């Protein structure tokens, strides 16, 4: 009975980590695609390292490495790999909880930092010719078209003679009908609307990580008692 449960646990760990590995590869691929095609560093020059493409790239690498360790450790019944998998999951959970707490405590300071950086990025975009091909202005066009916003606070951020066509719908027909909201306020509202979903996702992720740690430690203890696997 116990052997059957442990075998089921081993198979469950292998399947779950394999699925996580495939998800990590997908996230990594999407991050590489965004990094190649979209230079979001133009939006926030100072916070360029924290743009979406880099975050996806780092997340994809972490997910693939950790899930590979868990899969290989469960498949080979290797105590070293299982213990490493457990410690990495524990460390990741601590990092996630720490980041969440810091975001809540320093919310105003982070919002001000992002606003200042967006203004700096917009200033550089305005100094770039509208026909330039270096990608600086196209990033702002992409954000403004998708979020239906204009500038950081409003259309006046672009100046009188430098407003891009992405600031409105069908600008060739109604050239003065610009989006009323700035991108900073739109992003803030978008974050607040999805705050509950984000919180639930973090909680679910922590629960999954705790279950993964429990499974890994259970299998580790069984291997230790049985004298199987590589010794530490």
């Amino acid at each position: 009975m116990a052997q059957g449960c442990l075998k089921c646990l081993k198979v469950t760990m292998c399947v779950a980590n394999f699925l996580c590995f495939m998800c990590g590869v997908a996230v990594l691929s999407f991050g590489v695609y965004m990094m190649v095609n979209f230079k979001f560093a133009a939006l926030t020059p100072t916070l360029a390292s924290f743009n979406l493409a880099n975050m996806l790239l780092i997340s994809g690498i972490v997910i693939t490495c950790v899930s590979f360790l868990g899969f290989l450790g469960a498949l080979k019944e290797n105590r070293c790999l299982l213990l490493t998998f457990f410690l990495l999951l524990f460390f990741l959970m601590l990092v996630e909880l720490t980041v969440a707490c810091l975001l809540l405590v320093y919310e105003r300071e982070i919002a001000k930092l992002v606003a200042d950086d967006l203004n700096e990025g917009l200033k550089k975009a305005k100094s770039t010719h509208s026909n330039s091909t270096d990608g600086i202005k196209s990033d702002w066009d992409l954000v403004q078209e998708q979020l239906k916003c204009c500038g950081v606070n409003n259309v006046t951020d672009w100046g009188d003679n430098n407003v891009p066509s992405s600031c409105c719908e069908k600008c060739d027909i109604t050239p003065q009908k610009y989006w009323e909201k700035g991108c900073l306020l739109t992003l803030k509202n978008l974050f607040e609307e999805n705050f509950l979903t984000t919180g639930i996702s973090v909680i679910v992720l922590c629960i999954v990580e705790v279950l993964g740690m429990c499974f890994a430690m259970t299998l580790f203890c069984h291997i230790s008692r049985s004298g199987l696997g590589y010794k530490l």
Side-chain angles (χ1 to χ4, degrees), residues 147-166:
L147 299 181
K148 296 184 178 179
C149 58
C150 187
V152 179
N153 300 300
N154 49 53
V155 65
T156 58
D157 294 335
W158 282 101
D160 296 331
N161 302 317
N162 204 27
V163 182
S165 59
S166 59

Side-chain angles (χ1 to χ4, degrees), residues 48-176:
S49 299
F50 296 95
N51 62 55
L52 182 59
N54 287 342
M55 292 297 99
L56 288 174
L57 196 64
I58 294 172
S59 300
I61 293 173
V62 171
I63 292 171
T64 51
C65 291
V66 174
S67 57
F68 179 75
L69 280 177
F71 173 80
L72 194 61
L75 184 66
K76 297 294 185 180
E77 296 186 355
N78 187 309
R79 289 193 297 164
C80 295
L81 294 178
L82 286 172
L83 184 60
T84 304
F85 175 71
F86 174 87
L87 293 174
L88 284 176
L89 280 184
F90 181 72
F91 176 73
L92 285 175
M93 189 172 66
L94 287 181
V95 170
E96 290 162 7
L97 293 176
T98 303
V99 170
C101 291
L102 289 176
L103 288 175
L104 290 175
V105 173
Y106 297 101
E107 180 183 357
R108 293 184 179 180
E109 289 80 357
I110 294 173
K112 185 179 183 303
L113 182 62
V114 172
D116 293 341
D117 218 34
L118 282 172
N119 281 310
E120 183 65 26
L122 186 64
K123 188 184 297 183
K124 290 185 178 181
K126 285 194 294 184
S127 64
T128 305
H129 194 272
S130 59
N131 293 324
S132 176
T133 59
D134 60 3
I136 292 181
K137 202 165 185 178
S138 63
D139 296 338
W140 276 96
D141 290 335
L142 177 65
V143 172
Q144 291 177 152
E145 288 171 357
Q146 294 296 322
L147 299 181
K148 296 184 178 179
C149 58
C150 187
V152 179
N153 300 300
N154 49 53
V155 65
T156 58
D157 294 335
W158 282 101
D160 296 331
N161 302 317
N162 204 27
V163 182
S165 59
S166 59
C167 268
C168 63
E169 238 177 350
K170 301 179 180 178
C171 280
D172 53 338
I173 301 175
T174 56
Q176 302 302 320

